[in-house]
PDB file of all heavy atoms in Angstrom:
ATOM      1  N   GLY A 155      41.846-142.606 263.584  1.00  0.00           N
ATOM      2  CA  GLY A 155      42.344-142.876 262.219  1.00  0.00           C
ATOM      3  C   GLY A 155      43.662-142.161 261.996  1.00  0.00           C
ATOM      4  O   GLY A 155      44.011-141.216 262.621  1.00  0.00           O
ATOM      5  N   PHE A 156      44.394-142.668 260.970  1.00  0.00           N
ATOM      6  CA  PHE A 156      45.646-142.019 260.659  1.00  0.00           C
ATOM      7  C   PHE A 156      45.560-141.460 259.232  1.00  0.00           C
ATOM      8  O   PHE A 156      45.234-142.183 258.290  1.00  0.00           O
ATOM      9  CB  PHE A 156      46.814-143.040 260.680  1.00  0.00           C
ATOM     10  CG  PHE A 156      48.182-142.466 260.558  1.00  0.00           C
ATOM     11  CD1 PHE A 156      48.872-141.992 261.627  1.00  0.00           C
ATOM     12  CD2 PHE A 156      48.763-142.379 259.298  1.00  0.00           C
ATOM     13  CE1 PHE A 156      50.131-141.399 261.480  1.00  0.00           C
ATOM     14  CE2 PHE A 156      50.035-141.820 259.084  1.00  0.00           C
ATOM     15  CZ  PHE A 156      50.738-141.355 260.239  1.00  0.00           C
ATOM     16  N   GLY A 157      45.892-140.175 259.070  1.00  0.00           N
ATOM     17  CA  GLY A 157      45.758-139.529 257.748  1.00  0.00           C
ATOM     18  C   GLY A 157      47.043-139.581 256.958  1.00  0.00           C
ATOM     19  O   GLY A 157      48.086-139.917 257.429  1.00  0.00           O
ATOM     20  N   GLY A 158      46.890-139.268 255.687  1.00  0.00           N
ATOM     21  CA  GLY A 158      48.094-139.234 254.786  1.00  0.00           C
ATOM     22  C   GLY A 158      48.862-137.938 254.909  1.00  0.00           C
ATOM     23  O   GLY A 158      48.564-137.093 255.700  1.00  0.00           O
ATOM     24  N   SER A 159      49.850-137.798 253.999  1.00  0.00           N
ATOM     25  CA  SER A 159      50.719-136.635 254.091  1.00  0.00           C
ATOM     26  C   SER A 159      49.944-135.341 253.792  1.00  0.00           C
ATOM     27  O   SER A 159      50.366-134.237 254.163  1.00  0.00           O
ATOM     28  CB  SER A 159      51.870-136.738 253.090  1.00  0.00           C
ATOM     29  OG  SER A 159      51.359-136.906 251.786  1.00  0.00           O
ATOM     30  N   SER A 160      48.809-135.420 253.082  1.00  0.00           N
ATOM     31  CA  SER A 160      48.024-134.257 252.726  1.00  0.00           C
ATOM     32  C   SER A 160      47.178-133.767 253.951  1.00  0.00           C
ATOM     33  O   SER A 160      46.588-132.693 253.871  1.00  0.00           O
ATOM     34  CB  SER A 160      47.155-134.496 251.588  1.00  0.00           C
ATOM     35  OG  SER A 160      46.322-135.602 251.759  1.00  0.00           O
ATOM     36  N   GLY A 161      47.101-134.651 254.956  1.00  0.00           N
ATOM     37  CA  GLY A 161      46.380-134.239 256.141  1.00  0.00           C
ATOM     38  C   GLY A 161      44.880-134.462 256.130  1.00  0.00           C
ATOM     39  O   GLY A 161      44.178-134.053 257.049  1.00  0.00           O
ATOM     40  N   PHE A 162      44.346-135.142 255.126  1.00  0.00           N
ATOM     41  CA  PHE A 162      42.909-135.429 255.071  1.00  0.00           C
ATOM     42  C   PHE A 162      42.692-136.695 254.326  1.00  0.00           C
ATOM     43  O   PHE A 162      43.602-137.242 253.614  1.00  0.00           O
ATOM     44  CB  PHE A 162      42.171-134.270 254.479  1.00  0.00           C
ATOM     45  CG  PHE A 162      42.502-134.042 252.986  1.00  0.00           C
ATOM     46  CD1 PHE A 162      41.798-134.683 252.029  1.00  0.00           C
ATOM     47  CD2 PHE A 162      43.492-133.188 252.671  1.00  0.00           C
ATOM     48  CE1 PHE A 162      42.106-134.502 250.675  1.00  0.00           C
ATOM     49  CE2 PHE A 162      43.830-132.980 251.322  1.00  0.00           C
ATOM     50  CZ  PHE A 162      43.098-133.640 250.347  1.00  0.00           C
ATOM     51  N   GLY A 163      41.480-137.216 254.384  1.00  0.00           N
ATOM     52  CA  GLY A 163      41.137-138.426 253.658  1.00  0.00           C
ATOM     53  C   GLY A 163      39.628-138.447 253.401  1.00  0.00           C
ATOM     54  O   GLY A 163      38.878-137.820 254.061  1.00  0.00           O
ATOM     55  N   THR A 164      39.235-139.251 252.423  1.00  0.00           N
ATOM     56  CA  THR A 164      37.820-139.401 252.113  1.00  0.00           C
ATOM     57  C   THR A 164      37.108-140.379 253.003  1.00  0.00           C
ATOM     58  O   THR A 164      35.836-140.417 253.011  1.00  0.00           O
ATOM     59  CB  THR A 164      37.635-139.800 250.649  1.00  0.00           C
ATOM     60  OG1 THR A 164      38.367-141.036 250.410  1.00  0.00           O
ATOM     61  CG2 THR A 164      38.244-138.734 249.702  1.00  0.00           C
ATOM     62  N   GLY A 165      37.791-141.145 253.692  1.00  0.00           N
ATOM     63  CA  GLY A 165      37.187-142.118 254.595  1.00  0.00           C
ATOM     64  C   GLY A 165      38.246-142.862 255.371  1.00  0.00           C
ATOM     65  O   GLY A 165      39.446-142.770 255.059  1.00  0.00           O
ATOM     66  N   GLN A 166      37.832-143.567 256.370  1.00  0.00           N
ATOM     67  CA  GLN A 166      38.768-144.280 257.234  1.00  0.00           C
ATOM     68  C   GLN A 166      38.074-145.404 257.894  1.00  0.00           C
ATOM     69  O   GLN A 166      36.885-145.380 258.160  1.00  0.00           O
ATOM     70  CB  GLN A 166      39.397-143.345 258.279  1.00  0.00           C
ATOM     71  CG  GLN A 166      38.318-142.685 259.214  1.00  0.00           C
ATOM     72  CD  GLN A 166      38.971-141.868 260.339  1.00  0.00           C
ATOM     73  OE1 GLN A 166      39.955-142.326 260.934  1.00  0.00           O
ATOM     74  NE2 GLN A 166      38.439-140.676 260.563  1.00  0.00           N
ATOM     75  N   TRP A 167      38.856-146.454 258.159  1.00  0.00           N
ATOM     76  CA  TRP A 167      38.359-147.576 258.943  1.00  0.00           C
ATOM     77  C   TRP A 167      38.414-147.265 260.447  1.00  0.00           C
ATOM     78  O   TRP A 167      39.404-146.801 260.969  1.00  0.00           O
ATOM     79  CB  TRP A 167      39.239-148.786 258.647  1.00  0.00           C
ATOM     80  CG  TRP A 167      38.995-149.915 259.612  1.00  0.00           C
ATOM     81  CD1 TRP A 167      39.717-150.304 260.646  1.00  0.00           C
ATOM     82  CD2 TRP A 167      37.853-150.808 259.593  1.00  0.00           C
ATOM     83  NE1 TRP A 167      39.186-151.382 261.290  1.00  0.00           N
ATOM     84  CE2 TRP A 167      38.034-151.708 260.689  1.00  0.00           C
ATOM     85  CE3 TRP A 167      36.733-150.926 258.757  1.00  0.00           C
ATOM     86  CZ2 TRP A 167      37.109-152.721 260.957  1.00  0.00           C
ATOM     87  CZ3 TRP A 167      35.846-151.930 259.071  1.00  0.00           C
ATOM     88  CH2 TRP A 167      36.042-152.858 260.111  1.00  0.00           C
ATOM     89  N   ILE A 168      37.246-147.428 261.072  1.00  0.00           N
ATOM     90  CA  ILE A 168      37.149-147.152 262.496  1.00  0.00           C
ATOM     91  C   ILE A 168      37.466-148.409 263.261  1.00  0.00           C
ATOM     92  O   ILE A 168      36.692-149.413 263.211  1.00  0.00           O
ATOM     93  CB  ILE A 168      35.725-146.623 262.855  1.00  0.00           C
ATOM     94  CG1 ILE A 168      35.491-145.335 262.097  1.00  0.00           C
ATOM     95  CG2 ILE A 168      35.682-146.384 264.362  1.00  0.00           C
ATOM     96  CD1 ILE A 168      34.120-144.772 262.366  1.00  0.00           C
ATOM     97  N   ASP A 169      38.575-148.432 263.997  1.00  0.00           N
ATOM     98  CA  ASP A 169      38.960-149.634 264.743  1.00  0.00           C
ATOM     99  C   ASP A 169      38.040-149.756 265.927  1.00  0.00           C
ATOM    100  O   ASP A 169      37.578-148.743 266.536  1.00  0.00           O
ATOM    101  CB  ASP A 169      40.415-149.476 265.200  1.00  0.00           C
ATOM    102  CG  ASP A 169      41.392-149.569 264.085  1.00  0.00           C
ATOM    103  OD1 ASP A 169      41.085-150.305 263.124  1.00  0.00           O
ATOM    104  OD2 ASP A 169      42.503-148.985 264.130  1.00  0.00           O
ATOM    105  N   PRO A 170      37.815-150.977 266.367  1.00  0.00           N
ATOM    106  CA  PRO A 170      37.018-151.197 267.611  1.00  0.00           C
ATOM    107  C   PRO A 170      37.832-150.770 268.819  1.00  0.00           C
ATOM    108  O   PRO A 170      39.018-150.605 268.780  1.00  0.00           O
ATOM    109  CB  PRO A 170      36.775-152.704 267.572  1.00  0.00           C
ATOM    110  CG  PRO A 170      37.911-153.288 266.807  1.00  0.00           C
ATOM    111  CD  PRO A 170      38.221-152.233 265.739  1.00  0.00           C
ATOM    112  N   ARG A 171      37.138-150.583 269.914  1.00  0.00           N
ATOM    113  CA  ARG A 171      37.821-150.291 271.169  1.00  0.00           C
ATOM    114  C   ARG A 171      38.782-151.395 271.498  1.00  0.00           C
ATOM    115  O   ARG A 171      38.468-152.614 271.351  1.00  0.00           O
ATOM    116  CB  ARG A 171      36.810-150.130 272.301  1.00  0.00           C
ATOM    117  CG  ARG A 171      36.033-148.806 272.208  1.00  0.00           C
ATOM    118  CD  ARG A 171      34.974-148.713 273.286  1.00  0.00           C
ATOM    119  NE  ARG A 171      35.540-148.738 274.655  1.00  0.00           N
ATOM    120  CZ  ARG A 171      36.055-147.616 275.249  1.00  0.00           C
ATOM    121  NH1 ARG A 171      35.962-146.440 274.657  1.00  0.00           N
ATOM    122  NH2 ARG A 171      36.545-147.689 276.450  1.00  0.00           N
ATOM    123  N   ARG A 172      39.971-151.023 271.991  1.00  0.00           N
ATOM    124  CA  ARG A 172      40.979-152.007 272.332  1.00  0.00           C
ATOM    125  C   ARG A 172      41.914-151.354 273.354  1.00  0.00           C
ATOM    126  O   ARG A 172      41.796-150.193 273.679  1.00  0.00           O
ATOM    127  CB  ARG A 172      41.749-152.427 271.079  1.00  0.00           C
ATOM    128  CG  ARG A 172      42.404-151.261 270.325  1.00  0.00           C
ATOM    129  CD  ARG A 172      43.371-151.758 269.305  1.00  0.00           C
ATOM    130  NE  ARG A 172      43.888-150.685 268.451  1.00  0.00           N
ATOM    131  CZ  ARG A 172      44.834-149.814 268.801  1.00  0.00           C
ATOM    132  NH1 ARG A 172      45.317-149.854 269.998  1.00  0.00           N
ATOM    133  NH2 ARG A 172      45.210-148.896 267.974  1.00  0.00           N
ATOM    134  N   SER A 173      42.886-152.183 273.765  1.00  0.00           N
ATOM    135  CA  SER A 173      43.935-151.627 274.720  1.00  0.00           C
ATOM    136  C   SER A 173      44.955-150.843 273.884  1.00  0.00           C
ATOM    137  O   SER A 173      45.172-151.094 272.727  1.00  0.00           O
ATOM    138  CB  SER A 173      44.554-152.834 275.470  1.00  0.00           C
ATOM    139  OG  SER A 173      43.665-153.537 276.198  1.00  0.00           O
ATOM    140  N   PRO A 174      45.578-149.917 274.590  1.00  0.00           N
ATOM    141  CA  PRO A 174      46.665-149.133 273.947  1.00  0.00           C
ATOM    142  C   PRO A 174      47.827-150.085 273.520  1.00  0.00           C
ATOM    143  O   PRO A 174      48.142-150.977 274.240  1.00  0.00           O
ATOM    144  CB  PRO A 174      47.109-148.123 274.978  1.00  0.00           C
ATOM    145  CG  PRO A 174      45.993-148.088 275.960  1.00  0.00           C
ATOM    146  CD  PRO A 174      45.375-149.412 275.954  1.00  0.00           C
ATOM    147  N   MET A 175      48.394-149.785 272.334  1.00  0.00           N
ATOM    148  CA  MET A 175      49.596-150.484 271.934  1.00  0.00           C
ATOM    149  C   MET A 175      50.838-150.010 272.687  1.00  0.00           C
ATOM    150  O   MET A 175      50.987-148.802 272.789  1.00  0.00           O
ATOM    151  CB  MET A 175      49.786-150.354 270.432  1.00  0.00           C
ATOM    152  CG  MET A 175      48.706-150.902 269.514  1.00  0.00           C
ATOM    153  SD  MET A 175      49.037-150.639 267.780  1.00  0.00           S
ATOM    154  CE  MET A 175      47.607-151.407 266.996  1.00  0.00           C
ATOM    155  N   PRO A 176      51.659-150.913 273.088  1.00  0.00           N
ATOM    156  CA  PRO A 176      52.918-150.477 273.784  1.00  0.00           C
ATOM    157  C   PRO A 176      53.752-149.551 272.922  1.00  0.00           C
ATOM    158  O   PRO A 176      54.294-148.554 273.393  1.00  0.00           O
ATOM    159  CB  PRO A 176      53.672-151.777 274.050  1.00  0.00           C
ATOM    160  CG  PRO A 176      52.598-152.800 274.131  1.00  0.00           C
ATOM    161  CD  PRO A 176      51.537-152.363 273.150  1.00  0.00           C
ATOM    162  N   ALA A 177      53.814-149.810 271.604  1.00  0.00           N
ATOM    163  CA  ALA A 177      54.632-148.937 270.705  1.00  0.00           C
ATOM    164  C   ALA A 177      54.070-147.547 270.556  1.00  0.00           C
ATOM    165  O   ALA A 177      54.791-146.613 270.166  1.00  0.00           O
ATOM    166  CB  ALA A 177      54.739-149.580 269.287  1.00  0.00           C
ATOM    167  N   ARG A 178      52.817-147.346 270.936  1.00  0.00           N
ATOM    168  CA  ARG A 178      52.185-146.013 270.898  1.00  0.00           C
ATOM    169  C   ARG A 178      51.919-145.559 272.303  1.00  0.00           C
ATOM    170  O   ARG A 178      50.957-144.719 272.495  1.00  0.00           O
ATOM    171  CB  ARG A 178      50.883-146.062 270.081  1.00  0.00           C
ATOM    172  CG  ARG A 178      51.135-146.427 268.590  1.00  0.00           C
ATOM    173  CD  ARG A 178      49.869-146.442 267.812  1.00  0.00           C
ATOM    174  NE  ARG A 178      50.100-146.807 266.391  1.00  0.00           N
ATOM    175  CZ  ARG A 178      49.197-146.950 265.495  1.00  0.00           C
ATOM    176  NH1 ARG A 178      47.926-146.788 265.848  1.00  0.00           N
ATOM    177  NH2 ARG A 178      49.507-147.261 264.257  1.00  0.00           N
ATOM    178  N   THR A 179      52.692-146.002 273.227  1.00  0.00           N
ATOM    179  CA  THR A 179      52.608-145.574 274.628  1.00  0.00           C
ATOM    180  C   THR A 179      53.850-144.754 275.003  1.00  0.00           C
ATOM    181  O   THR A 179      54.990-145.206 274.706  1.00  0.00           O
ATOM    182  CB  THR A 179      52.419-146.824 275.555  1.00  0.00           C
ATOM    183  OG1 THR A 179      51.166-147.450 275.315  1.00  0.00           O
ATOM    184  CG2 THR A 179      52.416-146.340 276.993  1.00  0.00           C
ATOM    185  N   VAL A 180      53.627-143.713 275.679  1.00  0.00           N
ATOM    186  CA  VAL A 180      54.810-142.886 276.178  1.00  0.00           C
ATOM    187  C   VAL A 180      54.823-142.955 277.725  1.00  0.00           C
ATOM    188  O   VAL A 180      53.789-142.721 278.412  1.00  0.00           O
ATOM    189  CB  VAL A 180      54.674-141.424 275.777  1.00  0.00           C
ATOM    190  CG1 VAL A 180      55.792-140.564 276.396  1.00  0.00           C
ATOM    191  CG2 VAL A 180      54.675-141.265 274.255  1.00  0.00           C
ATOM    192  N   VAL A 181      55.954-143.403 278.252  1.00  0.00           N
ATOM    193  CA  VAL A 181      56.142-143.615 279.677  1.00  0.00           C
ATOM    194  C   VAL A 181      57.009-142.513 280.207  1.00  0.00           C
ATOM    195  O   VAL A 181      58.158-142.272 279.746  1.00  0.00           O
ATOM    196  CB  VAL A 181      56.782-144.975 279.976  1.00  0.00           C
ATOM    197  CG1 VAL A 181      56.890-145.194 281.493  1.00  0.00           C
ATOM    198  CG2 VAL A 181      55.958-146.108 279.368  1.00  0.00           C
ATOM    199  N   PHE A 182      56.538-141.803 281.240  1.00  0.00           N
ATOM    200  CA  PHE A 182      57.365-140.795 281.962  1.00  0.00           C
ATOM    201  C   PHE A 182      57.931-141.376 283.189  1.00  0.00           C
ATOM    202  O   PHE A 182      57.206-142.004 284.008  1.00  0.00           O
ATOM    203  CB  PHE A 182      56.436-139.579 282.349  1.00  0.00           C
ATOM    204  CG  PHE A 182      55.919-138.806 281.165  1.00  0.00           C
ATOM    205  CD1 PHE A 182      54.604-138.988 280.727  1.00  0.00           C
ATOM    206  CD2 PHE A 182      56.746-137.904 280.517  1.00  0.00           C
ATOM    207  CE1 PHE A 182      54.147-138.247 279.683  1.00  0.00           C
ATOM    208  CE2 PHE A 182      56.309-137.198 279.428  1.00  0.00           C
ATOM    209  CZ  PHE A 182      54.980-137.354 278.987  1.00  0.00           C
ATOM    210  N   ILE A 183      59.216-141.218 283.369  1.00  0.00           N
ATOM    211  CA  ILE A 183      59.922-141.759 284.519  1.00  0.00           C
ATOM    212  C   ILE A 183      60.872-140.654 285.055  1.00  0.00           C
ATOM    213  O   ILE A 183      61.651-140.066 284.263  1.00  0.00           O
ATOM    214  CB  ILE A 183      60.736-142.980 284.223  1.00  0.00           C
ATOM    215  CG1 ILE A 183      59.804-144.079 283.708  1.00  0.00           C
ATOM    216  CG2 ILE A 183      61.547-143.495 285.448  1.00  0.00           C
ATOM    217  CD1 ILE A 183      60.545-145.337 283.150  1.00  0.00           C
ATOM    218  N   ALA A 184      60.800-140.334 286.335  1.00  0.00           N
ATOM    219  CA  ALA A 184      61.627-139.295 286.925  1.00  0.00           C
ATOM    220  C   ALA A 184      62.841-139.872 287.515  1.00  0.00           C
ATOM    221  O   ALA A 184      62.889-140.923 288.098  1.00  0.00           O
ATOM    222  CB  ALA A 184      60.842-138.537 287.995  1.00  0.00           C
ATOM    223  N   GLY A 185      63.973-139.188 287.249  1.00  0.00           N
ATOM    224  CA  GLY A 185      65.275-139.679 287.780  1.00  0.00           C
ATOM    225  C   GLY A 185      66.133-138.572 288.316  1.00  0.00           C
ATOM    226  O   GLY A 185      65.673-137.506 288.728  1.00  0.00           O
ATOM    227  N   ASP A 186      67.481-138.836 288.351  1.00  0.00           N
ATOM    228  CA  ASP A 186      68.484-137.854 288.856  1.00  0.00           C
ATOM    229  C   ASP A 186      68.174-137.465 290.302  1.00  0.00           C
ATOM    230  O   ASP A 186      67.899-136.316 290.623  1.00  0.00           O
ATOM    231  CB  ASP A 186      68.487-136.559 287.992  1.00  0.00           C
ATOM    232  CG  ASP A 186      69.161-136.845 286.641  1.00  0.00           C
ATOM    233  OD1 ASP A 186      69.799-137.873 286.484  1.00  0.00           O
ATOM    234  OD2 ASP A 186      69.000-135.979 285.811  1.00  0.00           O
ATOM    235  N   TRP A 187      68.231-138.402 291.185  1.00  0.00           N
ATOM    236  CA  TRP A 187      67.856-138.149 292.598  1.00  0.00           C
ATOM    237  C   TRP A 187      68.886-137.283 293.240  1.00  0.00           C
ATOM    238  O   TRP A 187      70.107-137.303 292.970  1.00  0.00           O
ATOM    239  CB  TRP A 187      67.745-139.447 293.358  1.00  0.00           C
ATOM    240  CG  TRP A 187      66.597-140.269 292.837  1.00  0.00           C
ATOM    241  CD1 TRP A 187      66.628-141.505 292.235  1.00  0.00           C
ATOM    242  CD2 TRP A 187      65.205-139.927 292.873  1.00  0.00           C
ATOM    243  NE1 TRP A 187      65.376-141.888 291.893  1.00  0.00           N
ATOM    244  CE2 TRP A 187      64.489-140.965 292.243  1.00  0.00           C
ATOM    245  CE3 TRP A 187      64.474-138.808 293.384  1.00  0.00           C
ATOM    246  CZ2 TRP A 187      63.138-140.948 292.115  1.00  0.00           C
ATOM    247  CZ3 TRP A 187      63.139-138.791 293.218  1.00  0.00           C
ATOM    248  CH2 TRP A 187      62.455-139.847 292.615  1.00  0.00           C
ATOM    249  N   ASP A 188      68.393-136.475 294.211  1.00  0.00           N
ATOM    250  CA  ASP A 188      69.224-135.623 295.042  1.00  0.00           C
ATOM    251  C   ASP A 188      70.198-136.480 295.833  1.00  0.00           C
ATOM    252  O   ASP A 188      69.778-137.437 296.485  1.00  0.00           O
ATOM    253  CB  ASP A 188      68.348-134.784 295.964  1.00  0.00           C
ATOM    254  CG  ASP A 188      69.106-134.045 296.988  1.00  0.00           C
ATOM    255  OD1 ASP A 188      70.288-133.831 296.787  1.00  0.00           O
ATOM    256  OD2 ASP A 188      68.501-133.609 297.991  1.00  0.00           O
ATOM    257  N   THR A 189      71.489-136.202 295.795  1.00  0.00           N
ATOM    258  CA  THR A 189      72.493-136.971 296.456  1.00  0.00           C
ATOM    259  C   THR A 189      73.108-136.308 297.666  1.00  0.00           C
ATOM    260  O   THR A 189      74.176-136.604 298.133  1.00  0.00           O
ATOM    261  CB  THR A 189      73.632-137.386 295.517  1.00  0.00           C
ATOM    262  OG1 THR A 189      74.236-136.164 294.977  1.00  0.00           O
ATOM    263  CG2 THR A 189      73.107-138.235 294.359  1.00  0.00           C
ATOM    264  N   SER A 190      72.432-135.254 298.219  1.00  0.00           N
ATOM    265  CA  SER A 190      72.955-134.523 299.365  1.00  0.00           C
ATOM    266  C   SER A 190      72.821-135.413 300.606  1.00  0.00           C
ATOM    267  O   SER A 190      72.066-136.431 300.608  1.00  0.00           O
ATOM    268  CB  SER A 190      72.183-133.245 299.589  1.00  0.00           C
ATOM    269  OG  SER A 190      70.800-133.515 299.752  1.00  0.00           O
ATOM    270  N   GLU A 191      73.514-135.090 301.663  1.00  0.00           N
ATOM    271  CA  GLU A 191      73.506-135.924 302.867  1.00  0.00           C
ATOM    272  C   GLU A 191      72.153-136.044 303.524  1.00  0.00           C
ATOM    273  O   GLU A 191      71.850-137.052 304.080  1.00  0.00           O
ATOM    274  CB  GLU A 191      74.500-135.405 303.871  1.00  0.00           C
ATOM    275  CG  GLU A 191      75.997-135.398 303.411  1.00  0.00           C
ATOM    276  CD  GLU A 191      76.934-134.900 304.428  1.00  0.00           C
ATOM    277  OE1 GLU A 191      76.473-134.440 305.504  1.00  0.00           O
ATOM    278  OE2 GLU A 191      78.140-134.930 304.191  1.00  0.00           O
ATOM    279  N   ASP A 192      71.359-134.978 303.421  1.00  0.00           N
ATOM    280  CA  ASP A 192      70.071-135.021 304.090  1.00  0.00           C
ATOM    281  C   ASP A 192      68.974-135.552 303.138  1.00  0.00           C
ATOM    282  O   ASP A 192      67.775-135.581 303.453  1.00  0.00           O
ATOM    283  CB  ASP A 192      69.602-133.634 304.530  1.00  0.00           C
ATOM    284  CG  ASP A 192      69.569-132.620 303.372  1.00  0.00           C
ATOM    285  OD1 ASP A 192      70.070-132.981 302.308  1.00  0.00           O
ATOM    286  OD2 ASP A 192      69.008-131.537 303.597  1.00  0.00           O
TER     287      ASP A 192
END
Side-chain angles (χ1 to χ4, degrees):
F156 188 87
S159 59
S160 56
F162 64 90
T164 57
Q166 60 174 315
W167 167 256
I168 300 178
D169 290 331
R171 286 176 63 85
R172 57 168 172 76
S173 300
M175 295 180 180
R178 295 181 182 175
T179 296
V180 176
V181 182
F182 293 102
I183 301 174
D186 288 347
W187 295 115
D188 171 18
T189 57
S190 60
E191 293 182 359
D192 59 346

